[in-house]
């Protein structure tokens, strides 16, 4: 079974004729870029909410024990806070490979703290990708995150780093903070 979206993203090709563009990060990109960028600033997009509904077989889990990582799901009127990076298209090659486990590029409008708006890209894993896990209880999601780890490290570190980064942005993300709280309970129950 292939989870690889690299070829689809290369074919999509949007924005590649531009010298630079904005990329909106809402998951690990908030706290770790791992690529060169021209500038970065907090931003929001409208109509999407963060959910730990995407399986991770290659970063925070394995094919046998997949982790759970963030994607965005449509939610009319919702505002999602993240970090926007002004990048050159060369960065796509890196990101298409790094995020090849089901994420596709979408164009979106983003809004910056000073009120400016611009169009850019965001990587989203949708329900039709093969690594999709979908909704589950907060308890089940936290339990899965507690036991998963992959080449990029423990799934718990991804969750806790994201929660901390969201607090630093003053983001009110009930889904992420509920999973974080349940993870800490699970770890306390297991003396970790
Ligand atoms: C992000 O952190 O925004 C992100 C999530 C999935 C793929 C690429 C980026």
């Amino acid at each position: 079974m292939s989870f690889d979206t690299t070829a689809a993203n290369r074919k999509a090709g949007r924005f590649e004729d531009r010298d630079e563009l904005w990329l909106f990060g809402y998951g690990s990109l908030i706290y770790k870029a791992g690529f060169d960028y021209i500038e970065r600033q907090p931003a929001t997009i409208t109509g999407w909410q963060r959910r730990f509904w995407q399986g991770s077989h290659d970063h925070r889990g394995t094919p046998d024990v997949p982790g759970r990582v963030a994607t965005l799901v449509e939610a009319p009127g919702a505002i999602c806070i993240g970090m926007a990076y002004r990048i050159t298209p060369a960065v796509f090659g890196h990101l298409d490979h790094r995020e090849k486990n089901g994420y596709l590029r979408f164009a979106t409008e983003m809004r910056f703290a000073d009120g400016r708006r611009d169009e850019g890209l965001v990587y989203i894993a949708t329900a039709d990708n093969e690594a999709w896990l979908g909704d589950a209880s907060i308890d089940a999601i936290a339990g899965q995150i507690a036991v998963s780890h992959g080449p990029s490290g423990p799934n718990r570190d991804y969750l806790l780093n994201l929660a901390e980064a969201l607090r630093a942005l003053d983001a009110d993300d009930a889904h992420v903070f509920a999973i974080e709280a349940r993870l800490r309970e699970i770890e306390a129950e297991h003396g970790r």
Side-chain angles (χ1 to χ4, degrees):
M1 178 159 43
S2 169
F3 300 109
D4 197 331
T5 44
T6 316
N9 273 327
R10 200 171 297 133
K11 249 193 321 205
R14 189 151 182 188
F15 293 104
E16 268 157 12
D17 56 339
R18 300 251 299 255
D19 290 340
E20 53 184 55
L21 70 150
W22 288 100
L23 171 70
F24 181 82
Y26 56 89
S28 60
L29 282 188
I30 296 184
Y31 60 86
K32 188 189 94 184
F35 50 78
D36 291 334
Y37 54 87
I38 300 156
E39 71 170 299
R40 70 174 205 159
Q41 16 179 334
T44 58
I45 60 174
T46 299
W48 298 92
Q49 63 191 7
R50 212 172 340 256
R51 287 291 179 264
F52 268 81
W53 289 3
Q54 174 67 0
S56 178
H57 306 78
D58 58 352
H59 281 295
R60 299 292 178 166
T62 62
D64 288 342
V65 186
R68 275 186 179 260
V69 290
T71 185
L72 295 179
V73 297
E74 284 190 87
I79 293 177
C80 179
I81 301 182
M83 186 64 74
Y85 294 86
R86 197 149 61 85
I87 58 170
T88 65
V91 170
F92 290 152
H94 168 82
L95 280 172
D96 286 353
H97 178 72
R98 174 173 135 186
E99 308 299 345
K100 63 184 182 300
N101 200 189
Y103 289 90
L104 290 169
R105 297 184 213 146
F106 286 85
T108 186
E109 186 187 73
M110 54 197 84
R111 184 175 196 150
F112 304 99
D114 63 7
R116 272 187 307 143
R117 296 162 189 256
D118 207 346
E119 210 197 12
L121 287 176
V122 57
Y123 281 81
I124 297 176
T126 54
D128 53 4
N129 88 86
E130 290 177 88
W132 177 261
L133 293 175
D135 197 6
S137 67
I138 294 297
D139 184 51
I141 294 176
Q144 186 171 353
I145 290 173
V147 298
S148 303
H149 47 92
S152 298
N155 205 174
R156 74 176 290 282
D157 290 358
Y158 173 101
L159 167 66
L160 298 181
N161 287 336
L162 177 59
E164 188 182 319
L166 288 172
R167 269 192 285 276
L169 289 175
D170 260 337
D172 181 16
D173 194 317
H175 175 77
V176 173
F177 295 147
I179 299 168
E180 179 199 26
R182 183 60 193 131
L183 176 84
R184 291 200 187 279
E185 284 174 5
I186 291 170
E187 292 191 336
E189 286 160 13
H190 290 82
R192 281 184 244 143

